[in-house]
Amino acid sequence: MQSAADVETMLLGPVLADRACGDCTACCTVLTVDTPDFSKPAETPCVHLGAHGCGIHAERPAICRSWFCGWRRVVDLPDEARPDRSGLLVSLNFVRATRNCFEGVSINVRTVTAGQAIDKRIAAIILDALCVQLVPVWFSDGAKKMLMHPDNDVASLVISGEAAPAHLEKEVAAWRARYGVFAGNG
Ligand code: SF4
Ligand code: SF4
Protein backbone atom coordinates (compact mmCIF):
# COMPACT_ATOMS: atom_id res chain seq x y z
CA MET A 1 0.00 0.00 0.00
CA GLN A 2 1.28 3.48 -0.87
CA SER A 3 2.06 5.91 1.95
CA ALA A 4 0.90 9.54 1.86
CA ALA A 5 4.51 10.53 1.10
CA ASP A 6 4.53 8.15 -1.90
CA VAL A 7 1.33 9.77 -3.25
CA GLU A 8 2.81 13.23 -2.66
CA THR A 9 5.90 12.22 -4.62
CA MET A 10 3.75 10.83 -7.43
CA LEU A 11 1.48 13.89 -7.72
CA LEU A 12 3.72 16.79 -6.66
CA GLY A 13 7.15 15.40 -7.41
CA PRO A 14 10.09 14.39 -5.21
CA VAL A 15 11.46 16.75 -2.57
CA LEU A 16 13.80 19.13 -4.40
CA ALA A 17 17.40 19.25 -3.21
CA ASP A 18 17.77 22.97 -3.95
CA ARG A 19 14.79 24.15 -1.85
CA ALA A 20 15.13 24.91 1.87
CA CYS A 21 12.52 25.99 4.43
CA GLY A 22 14.83 28.78 5.68
CA ASP A 23 12.83 31.04 7.99
CA CYS A 24 9.48 29.58 6.93
CA THR A 25 7.51 27.75 9.63
CA ALA A 26 4.08 28.07 8.03
CA CYS A 27 3.19 24.38 8.21
CA CYS A 28 3.99 24.32 11.96
CA THR A 29 1.02 26.65 12.50
CA VAL A 30 -1.41 26.15 9.61
CA LEU A 31 -1.75 22.38 9.36
CA THR A 32 -3.67 19.78 11.33
CA VAL A 33 -1.33 16.99 12.45
CA ASP A 34 -2.90 13.75 13.61
CA THR A 35 -0.36 10.95 13.93
CA PRO A 36 0.13 8.34 16.68
CA ASP A 37 3.14 10.14 18.17
CA PHE A 38 2.21 13.78 17.55
CA SER A 39 -0.88 15.87 16.93
CA LYS A 40 -1.85 19.51 16.78
CA PRO A 41 -4.94 21.43 15.64
CA ALA A 42 -5.09 23.51 12.45
CA GLU A 43 -4.34 27.23 12.49
CA THR A 44 -2.59 26.93 15.85
CA PRO A 45 1.15 27.33 16.41
CA CYS A 46 2.76 24.05 17.49
CA VAL A 47 3.71 24.07 21.17
CA HIS A 48 7.33 23.46 20.12
CA LEU A 49 7.45 26.44 17.77
CA GLY A 50 9.55 29.32 19.07
CA ALA A 51 10.97 32.57 17.75
CA HIS A 52 13.83 30.67 16.10
CA GLY A 53 11.78 27.81 14.65
CA CYS A 54 11.28 24.32 15.98
CA GLY A 55 12.51 24.03 19.55
CA ILE A 56 12.97 20.25 19.28
CA HIS A 57 14.41 20.16 15.77
CA ALA A 58 16.89 17.34 16.43
CA GLU A 59 14.18 15.17 18.02
CA ARG A 60 11.16 16.39 16.06
CA PRO A 61 8.37 13.85 15.37
CA ALA A 62 8.55 11.53 12.36
CA ILE A 63 5.82 13.40 10.47
CA CYS A 64 7.81 16.65 10.70
CA ARG A 65 10.84 14.91 9.22
CA SER A 66 9.00 13.31 6.33
CA TRP A 67 6.39 15.94 5.33
CA PHE A 68 7.16 18.74 2.87
CA CYS A 69 4.81 21.30 1.38
CA GLY A 70 4.20 21.70 -2.35
CA TRP A 71 6.79 24.45 -2.64
CA ARG A 72 9.47 21.96 -1.56
CA ARG A 73 8.34 19.56 -4.31
CA VAL A 74 6.80 21.29 -7.34
CA VAL A 75 9.63 22.26 -9.67
CA ASP A 76 7.63 24.96 -11.48
CA LEU A 77 6.93 27.00 -8.34
CA PRO A 78 9.27 30.01 -8.09
CA ASP A 79 11.26 31.06 -4.99
CA GLU A 80 8.72 33.76 -4.20
CA ALA A 81 6.06 31.05 -3.77
CA ARG A 82 7.64 29.84 -0.52
CA PRO A 83 4.78 30.08 2.01
CA ASP A 84 6.38 32.73 4.23
CA ARG A 85 6.97 34.91 1.16
CA SER A 86 3.75 34.30 -0.76
CA GLY A 87 1.31 33.83 2.14
CA LEU A 88 0.07 30.68 0.38
CA LEU A 89 0.69 27.10 1.44
CA VAL A 90 0.39 24.30 -1.11
CA SER A 91 -0.27 20.78 0.15
CA LEU A 92 -1.84 17.54 -0.92
CA ASN A 93 -5.13 16.93 0.88
CA PHE A 94 -6.69 13.57 1.70
CA VAL A 95 -10.38 13.63 2.68
CA ARG A 96 -12.28 10.50 3.77
CA ALA A 97 -15.84 11.87 3.97
CA THR A 98 -15.97 13.63 0.62
CA ARG A 99 -18.80 15.84 -0.64
CA ASN A 100 -17.84 15.28 -4.25
CA CYS A 101 -15.38 13.30 -6.33
CA PHE A 102 -12.84 16.14 -6.44
CA GLU A 103 -12.22 16.15 -2.69
CA GLY A 104 -10.73 12.69 -2.02
CA VAL A 105 -7.20 13.49 -3.13
CA SER A 106 -6.51 17.04 -4.19
CA ILE A 107 -4.02 19.87 -4.13
CA ASN A 108 -4.95 22.59 -1.68
CA VAL A 109 -3.68 26.16 -1.90
CA ARG A 110 -4.54 27.94 1.34
CA THR A 111 -3.83 31.35 2.75
CA VAL A 112 -1.31 31.22 5.55
CA THR A 113 -2.52 34.25 7.47
CA ALA A 114 -6.28 34.66 7.77
CA GLY A 115 -7.35 38.08 6.63
CA GLN A 116 -4.04 38.85 4.89
CA ALA A 117 -4.55 40.48 1.48
CA ILE A 118 -3.82 37.93 -1.24
CA ASP A 119 -1.15 38.94 -3.77
CA LYS A 120 -3.10 38.08 -6.89
CA ARG A 121 0.00 37.95 -9.09
CA ILE A 122 1.79 35.27 -7.07
CA ALA A 123 -1.51 33.43 -6.51
CA ALA A 124 -1.97 33.29 -10.30
CA ILE A 125 1.62 32.04 -10.80
CA ILE A 126 1.09 29.29 -8.22
CA LEU A 127 -2.25 28.22 -9.69
CA ASP A 128 -0.83 28.20 -13.23
CA ALA A 129 1.94 25.85 -12.08
CA LEU A 130 -0.50 23.51 -10.32
CA CYS A 131 -3.54 23.36 -12.62
CA VAL A 132 -1.80 21.26 -15.25
CA GLN A 133 -2.65 17.62 -14.56
CA LEU A 134 -5.62 15.45 -13.68
CA VAL A 135 -5.42 16.39 -10.02
CA PRO A 136 -8.10 18.70 -8.58
CA VAL A 137 -6.87 22.01 -7.18
CA TRP A 138 -8.75 23.88 -4.44
CA PHE A 139 -8.13 27.36 -3.08
CA SER A 140 -9.12 28.13 0.48
CA ASP A 141 -8.92 31.45 2.29
CA GLY A 142 -10.03 30.21 5.69
CA ALA A 143 -13.66 31.20 5.12
CA LYS A 144 -14.43 29.30 1.95
CA LYS A 145 -12.97 26.66 -0.31
CA MET A 146 -13.24 26.97 -4.10
CA LEU A 147 -12.50 24.41 -6.81
CA MET A 148 -10.02 25.99 -9.25
CA HIS A 149 -9.23 22.98 -11.42
CA PRO A 150 -11.00 21.55 -13.36
CA ASP A 151 -13.15 24.48 -14.51
CA ASN A 152 -16.71 24.69 -13.20
CA ASP A 153 -18.32 23.53 -16.44
CA VAL A 154 -16.10 20.44 -16.60
CA ALA A 155 -16.57 19.71 -12.87
CA SER A 156 -20.37 19.92 -13.15
CA LEU A 157 -20.41 17.48 -16.06
CA VAL A 158 -18.08 15.02 -14.30
CA ILE A 159 -20.23 15.10 -11.15
CA SER A 160 -23.64 15.00 -12.86
CA GLY A 161 -22.74 12.29 -15.38
CA GLU A 162 -24.49 14.31 -18.12
CA ALA A 163 -23.25 14.02 -21.72
CA ALA A 164 -20.49 16.54 -22.44
CA PRO A 165 -20.52 18.85 -25.48
CA ALA A 166 -17.99 17.92 -28.16
CA HIS A 167 -15.34 20.47 -27.12
CA LEU A 168 -15.28 19.13 -23.53
CA GLU A 169 -15.80 15.45 -24.25
CA LYS A 170 -12.16 14.36 -23.98
CA GLU A 171 -11.45 16.36 -20.84
CA VAL A 172 -14.61 15.20 -19.05
CA ALA A 173 -13.92 11.58 -20.02
CA ALA A 174 -10.37 11.82 -18.68
CA TRP A 175 -11.52 13.20 -15.29
CA ARG A 176 -14.28 10.57 -15.08
CA ALA A 177 -11.82 7.77 -15.86
CA ARG A 178 -9.51 8.97 -13.08
CA TYR A 179 -12.14 9.89 -10.45
CA GLY A 180 -15.00 7.50 -11.27
CA VAL A 181 -13.98 5.54 -8.17
CA PHE A 182 -15.16 8.50 -6.05
CA ALA A 183 -18.36 9.09 -8.04
CA GLY A 184 -20.60 7.50 -5.41
CA ASN A 185 -19.62 10.30 -3.05
CA GLY A 186 -21.10 13.15 -4.99
S1 SF4 B 1 5.47 25.32 4.73
FE1 SF4 B 1 6.95 24.33 3.33
S2 SF4 B 1 8.70 25.74 3.21
FE2 SF4 B 1 7.47 26.31 5.00
S3 SF4 B 1 8.40 25.20 6.72
FE3 SF4 B 1 6.75 23.92 5.95
S4 SF4 B 1 7.72 22.55 4.46
FE4 SF4 B 1 9.14 24.24 4.82
S1 SF4 C 1 7.46 19.69 16.28
FE1 SF4 C 1 8.73 21.25 15.35
S2 SF4 C 1 8.71 20.82 13.13
FE2 SF4 C 1 7.00 19.71 14.10
S3 SF4 C 1 5.20 21.08 13.90
FE3 SF4 C 1 6.15 21.45 15.90
S4 SF4 C 1 7.55 23.17 15.56
FE4 SF4 C 1 7.05 22.30 13.55
Side-chain angles (χ1 to χ4, degrees), residues 122-172:
I122 186 65
I125 290 171
I126 291 173
L127 288 170
D128 277 354
L130 298 174
C131 299
V132 291
Q133 52 178 337
L134 285 177
V135 181
V137 178
W138 295 82
F139 188 95
S140 80
D141 64 2
K144 56 184 186 301
K145 185 175 154 188
M146 296 156 282
L147 183 65
M148 310 302 289
H149 179 65
D151 290 341
N152 278 342
D153 46 0
V154 171
S156 307
L157 288 162
V158 173
I159 291 170
S160 69
E162 284 169 27
H167 70 289
L168 295 178
E169 228 169 58
K170 263 191 171 169
E171 193 180 347
V172 170

Side-chain angles (χ1 to χ4, degrees), residues 20-21 24-28 67-69 71-72 82-83 89:
C21 296
C24 182
T25 57
C27 54
C28 302
W67 189 88
F68 298 90
C69 73
W71 180 78
R72 294 286 312 260
R82 197 172 82 180
L89 173 58

Side-chain angles (χ1 to χ4, degrees), residues 25 27-29 33 38 40 45-50 53-57 60-61 63-65:
T25 57
C27 54
C28 302
T29 292
V33 181
F38 176 60
K40 70 169 277 307
C46 171
V47 292
H48 302 297
L49 184 60
C54 179
I56 56 163
H57 187 75
R60 65 197 186 285
I63 186 68
C64 305
R65 295 167 185 276

Side-chain angles (χ1 to χ4, degrees), residues 12 18 37 73 75 114 117 121 124 177:
L12 299 178
D18 63 348
D37 63 338
R73 291 177 175 275
V75 73
R121 190 189 60 85

Side-chain angles (χ1 to χ4, degrees), residues 59-122:
E59 303 88 34
R60 65 197 186 285
I63 186 68
C64 305
R65 295 167 185 276
S66 61
W67 189 88
F68 298 90
C69 73
W71 180 78
R72 294 286 312 260
R73 291 177 175 275
V74 179
V75 73
D76 289 336
L77 290 176
D79 279 353
E80 60 191 318
R82 197 172 82 180
D84 60 329
R85 298 175 180 138
S86 64
L88 297 167
L89 173 58
V90 176
S91 63
L92 206 62
N93 244 26
F94 301 91
V95 174
R96 279 200 197 95
T98 58
R99 287 171 303 174
N100 63 61
C101 63
F102 297 112
E103 280 193 328
V105 180
S106 66
I107 295 171
N108 196 13
V109 182
R110 74 186 92 193
T111 52
V112 166
T113 313
Q116 178 178 294
I118 297 166
D119 177 342
K120 291 193 176 146
R121 190 189 60 85
I122 186 65

